[in-house]
């Protein structure tokens, strides 16, 4: 049995009057609660007269706000102002940009808890995860403050006397940031902090279903920019749908596009940016596996798998979706995990103690149901979950039961294993040798995060070495989900700032001669 921790109070989907708690959260962030529509474009001034986006609370179905997105003209004007803002910001010394980020960090920290509540209200993740997401933005600002004094180039020895070669990092221009619903604050933070430290202006296109989070963050950043005499278009916000995203991706005035979202859309974005010789940063799907060896510490491994599979209702790109258990410990592990699943508190994500909130949209519930149906039709054993909740108090929200299934085979080529389902579904396979589990881990198209649980240093060495996991995140005795900001996240975070600059190779001649490289003689 999964426990209903708290009833949810809210208005029904489509209601125009806000609940008390929604009004309190929005008011604390200077978002008008009485307005029929909110402007969803910021480039130094707020505007927006395009199509209307609805922000809907996934826990109650309450319509939180209606936001006016950008028209084509407003989009064009905002992109132009972003370019102008870049021309200003690039002349500001990097340590001064670091001071700007320090002030933004302080402003975000002062509103951390209420911003976290807004993430919970609009996205649906539980309260502690919402606050943790805002803390990520705070932390990456700390990182970028220090980075602003360490964005160094290189001095390269020249073969020519009286010459030296410098590799100099310069700002790249305007960075387009397209973010997803599941981390409506943190992903922009990751990009914005490093990009501003590098001297770039930024254009933020958030998910159409989380416009309020982007508006709240933009208001905070805008106040700091204004206080420092900098143009607001250093952090431009353009809400909208597919047309806005396409315009950003196709714009030659945006040399770098950072996209977070599905593999399918990521392929389109990558091709479009590449076709104009732009640069792209793509953070896409994750079909992440945890491997449990017989010598694993079960007291650590079971709770980690529990969080990895259920945290954010399975809507993290690092969520644990595949669990490979050594046959010798599989029955005990699954029994312990099922008992833990039975104790989970589901309900209002804004209430302390709730561990399972809703899926983000009704469409996501359909995706969950379809995936469960495919499992049943294939003959998989459903150990727990596999349906939506029938509690009256949850009927207006997008709540589904966390599911553990044991498919008939562990063939990674089967769509059950190779397809990422953004929902709390955990598929279990049994193995006899670590090499077999590693092969399964590596056989799917996605390669974001992975985790091995063992106390044998030989297993550890194999797992992190050339014969081990091919994912970007290769953890040992740590779950697949919950990465820190200072380490790699499917890439090389230590040097991530180098993607936000253009590199200039500068050969300097300080001699009285002008020899050619490679000894070429072109004299007459």
């Amino acid at each position: 049995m999964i426990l209903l921790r708290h009833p949810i109070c809210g208005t029904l989907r489509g209601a125009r009057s806000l609940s008390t708690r929604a009004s309190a959260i929005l008011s604390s962030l200077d978002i008008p609660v009485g307005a029929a529509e909110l402007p969803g474009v910021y480039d130094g001034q707020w505007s927006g007269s395009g199509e209307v986006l609805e922000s809907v609370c996934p826990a109650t179905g309450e319509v939180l706000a209606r936001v006016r997105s950008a028209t084509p003209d407003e989009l064009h004007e905002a992109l132009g102002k972003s370019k102008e803002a870049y021309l200003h910001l690039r002349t500001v010394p990097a340590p001064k940009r670091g001071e700007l980020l320090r002030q933004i960090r302080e402003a975000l920290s002062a509103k951390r808890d209420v911003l976290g509540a807004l993430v919970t209200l609009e996205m649906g993740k539980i309260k502690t995860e919402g606050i943790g997401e805002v803390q990520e933005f705070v932390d990456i600002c700390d990182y970028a403050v220090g980075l602003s004094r360490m964005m160094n180039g290189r001095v390269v020895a020249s073969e020519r006397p009286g010459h030296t070669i410098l590799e100099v990092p310069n700002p790249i221009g305007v960075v387009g940031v397209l973010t997803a619903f599941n981390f409506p604050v943190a992903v922009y933070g990751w990009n914005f902090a490093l990009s501003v430290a590098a001297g770039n202006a930024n254009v933020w296109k958030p998910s159409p279903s989380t416009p309020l989070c982007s508006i709240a963050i933009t208001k905070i950043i805008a106040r700091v920019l204004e206080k420092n005499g900098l143009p607001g278009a250093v952090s431009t916000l353009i809400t909208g749908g597919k047309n806005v995203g396409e315009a950003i991706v196709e714009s030659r005035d945006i040399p770098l596009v950072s996209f977070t979202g599905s593999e399918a859309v990521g392929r389109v974005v990558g091709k479009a940016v590449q076709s104009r010789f732009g640069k792209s940063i793509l953070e896409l799907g994750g079909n992440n596996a945890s491997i449990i060896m017989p010598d694993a510490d079960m007291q650590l491994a079971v709770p980690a798998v529990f969080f990895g599979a259920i945290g954010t209702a399975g809507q993290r790109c690092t969520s644990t979706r595949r669990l490979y258990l050594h046959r010798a410990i599989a029955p005990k592990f699954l029994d312990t995990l099922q008992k833990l699943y039975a104790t989970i508190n589901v309900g209002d994500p804004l209430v302390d103690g709730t561990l399972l909130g809703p899926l983000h949209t009704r469409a996501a519930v359909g995706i969950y149901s379809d995936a469960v149906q495919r499992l049943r039709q294939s003959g998989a054993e459903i150990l727990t979950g596999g349906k939506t909740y029938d509690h009256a108090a949850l009927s207006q929200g997008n709540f589904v039961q966390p599911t553990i299934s044991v498919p008939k085979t562990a063939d990674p080529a089967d769509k059950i294993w190779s397809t990422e389902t953004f929902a709390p579904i955990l598929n279990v396979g049994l193995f006899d040798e670590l090499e077999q589990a590693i092969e399964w881990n590596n056989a799917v198209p996605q390669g974001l995060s992975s985790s091995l649980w063992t106390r044998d240093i030989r297993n550890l060495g194999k797992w992190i070495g050339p014969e081990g996991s091919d994912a970007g995140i290769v953890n040992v005795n740590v779950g697949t989900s919950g990465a820190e900001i200072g380490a790699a996240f499917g890439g090389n975070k230590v040097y991530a700032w180098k993607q936000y600059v253009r590199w200039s190779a500068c050969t300097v001649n300080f001699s009285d001669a002008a020899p050619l490289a490679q000894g070429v003689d072109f004299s007459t």
Side-chain angles (χ1 to χ4, degrees), residues 287-288 308-310 313-315 319-323 341 359 364-375 380 382 384-387 400-407 416-417 419-428:
N287 190 1
N288 315 294
I310 294 180
Q315 296 170 110
S319 290
T320 307
R321 310 199 186 282
R322 297 180 292 149
L323 175 61
Y341 266 56
L359 293 177
V365 176
I367 292 171
Y368 163 88
S369 298
D370 290 345
V372 171
Q373 184 179 9
R374 285 194 299 272
L375 286 167
I382 306 297
T384 187
K387 53 188 176 181
V400 300
Q401 295 186 13
T403 301
I404 302 175
S405 81
V406 183
I416 288 174
W417 294 100
T419 302
E420 177 192 28
T421 299
F422 232 55
I425 298 175
L426 181 65
N427 292 319
V428 181

Side-chain angles (χ1 to χ4, degrees), residues 160-178:
R160 288 172 279 186
H163 288 60
T164 192
I165 302 172
L166 308 177
E167 290 184 348
V168 180
N170 286 302
I172 196 170
V174 178
V175 176
V177 184
L178 283 63

Side-chain angles (χ1 to χ4, degrees), residues 413-495:
D414 192 312
K415 287 188 177 181
I416 288 174
W417 294 100
S418 63
T419 302
E420 177 192 28
T421 299
F422 232 55
I425 298 175
L426 181 65
N427 292 319
V428 181
L430 307 186
F431 69 92
D432 296 298
E433 301 294 337
L434 175 58
E435 290 79 8
Q436 183 180 37
I438 292 175
E439 181 181 348
W440 290 345
N441 175 81
N442 294 349
V444 300
Q446 309 86 358
L448 179 55
S449 186
S450 58
S451 173
L452 174 70
W453 293 84
T454 185
R455 286 177 286 193
D456 189 327
I457 195 169
R458 294 169 297 183
N459 294 334
L460 183 155
K462 177 164 289 189
W463 176 245
I464 67 173
E467 297 177 285
S469 172
D470 64 0
I473 299 172
V474 184
N475 290 340
V476 179
N477 297 331
V478 176
T480 64
S481 194
E484 299 180 35
I485 62 99
F489 190 77
N492 297 298
K493 178 57 71 67
V494 175
Y495 300 106

Side-chain angles (χ1 to χ4, degrees), residues 187-207:
V187 173
Y188 183 62
W190 303 340
N191 287 276
F192 170 82
L194 298 182
S195 179
V196 168
N200 304 310
N202 303 273
V203 175
W204 184 10
K205 190 272 181 192
S207 168

